[in-house]
Amino acid sequence: LLNPDFCDRLRHFCRTVSEKGETMNPLLKLGSRPMDLDLVGLPWLNDLLLHLFIRPIARHLFQENEILGELDWRQGYIAGYSAKPSSDSATPRQRLVAHTDDSEVTLNLCIGDDFEGGDLRFRGLRGDDAAGTQVIGQFRPIKGTALLHAGRHFHEVTTVTEGDRYAYIIWARSWGGTRKVNCPCCWLNRRQDSSCICGRRWN
């Protein structure tokens, strides 16, 4: 999706912002959490990928099962992992446990660097009987290559054993569709009955 040179530039930009932020204003904790690209001057990149890539492909892959309306919102950020976690290099963790995203569709794009470990492992859809219990697929990140998956698909990042791993993540949501008519918790867990605990606000 992105050429290796662009990935290198994006990764270098995030590392530089993190280093400067840790030095100039430690209270911002820029390297201690995923870096929100809207907050560091790159909202155009999130918009570009949403409109040119995520929305058109998601219409074909997920329309029947995952989306009740057009994807009309996004949040893009860089997540860093390292064999030696450090806020200076925007790599605060070594791995990420199995989880689902607060999105209808997620784009997960590897922007490098050189690393060992750090595979993306999938464990089924939330709401299924066997969700999260068994590995159903594993992907070795390749710089510039993106995966598009359902937000409620359980996934994890295995331990990075050497080097630094960076991923550009975009969460896409349907505020005018799915989230207008469904409680996010009920949607995430595919609840079809009237047992929602959120009450009349959502039902």
Side-chain angles (χ1 to χ4, degrees):
L1 181 64
L2 297 179
N3 72 44
D5 181 61
F6 187 87
C7 292
D8 291 343
R9 290 170 184 263
L10 180 58
R11 188 180 66 250
H12 176 72
F13 171 80
C14 290
R15 288 186 68 137
T16 301
V17 169
S18 178
E19 290 167 7
K20 299 273 188 203
E22 290 295 313
T23 303
M24 297 170 65
N25 191 342
L27 295 177
L28 291 177
K29 299 184 180 297
L30 288 174
S32 302
R33 58 178 180 252
M35 186 172 295
D36 188 327
L37 295 188
D38 282 348
L39 299 180
V40 294
L42 294 177
W44 62 269
L45 185 55
N46 293 329
D47 291 336
L48 188 72
L49 292 181
L50 174 68
H51 293 291
L52 293 183
F53 180 74
I54 299 172
R55 288 176 66 176
I57 293 178
R59 284 189 196 108
H60 296 286
L61 292 180
F62 304 112
Q63 190 66 43
E64 290 184 12
N65 300 321
E66 301 301 324
I67 304 171
L68 299 178
E70 194 67 51
L71 295 171
D72 53 15
W73 181 93
R74 88 291 175 279
Q75 179 182 13
Y77 59 90
I78 304 296
Y81 307 86
S82 178
K84 299 177 181 177
S86 167
S87 58
D88 288 341
S89 60
T91 54
R93 339 176 197 191
Q94 196 170 12
R95 62 185 296 265
L96 187 60
V97 298
H99 65 284
T100 56
D101 297 334
D102 189 10
S103 67
E104 275 77 306
V105 175
T106 297
L107 176 136
N108 189 316
L109 195 159
C110 176
I111 59 171
D113 202 2
D114 293 326
F115 60 91
E116 294 295 330
D119 287 2
L120 191 59
R121 184 179 288 164
F122 290 92
R123 292 183 175 273
L125 289 172
R126 183 185 286 271
D128 284 349
D129 291 339
T133 59
Q134 66 184 76
V135 175
I136 62 168
Q138 188 159 318
F139 177 74
R140 168 75 180 156
I142 302 166
K143 188 192 299 185
T145 300
L147 290 179
L148 204 59
H149 64 82
R152 60 184 171 190
H153 206 141
F154 274 101
H155 56 288
E156 63 189 88
V157 175
T158 64
T159 301
V160 175
T161 57
E162 186 176 325
D164 298 331
R165 174 195 189 277
Y166 293 87
Y168 177 14
I169 308 296
I170 298 180
W171 289 356
R173 298 177 185 160
S174 173
W175 282 110
T178 303
R179 290 167 189 258
K180 185 176 182 180
V181 297
N182 288 313
C183 156
C185 180
C186 288
W187 172 84
L188 186 66
N189 290 287
R190 296 193 278 181
R191 195 177 293 124
Q192 299 294 324
D193 54 31
S194 58
S195 62
C196 176
I197 62 171
C198 296
R200 297 177 60 83
R201 176 181 172 199
W202 290 104
N203 296 292

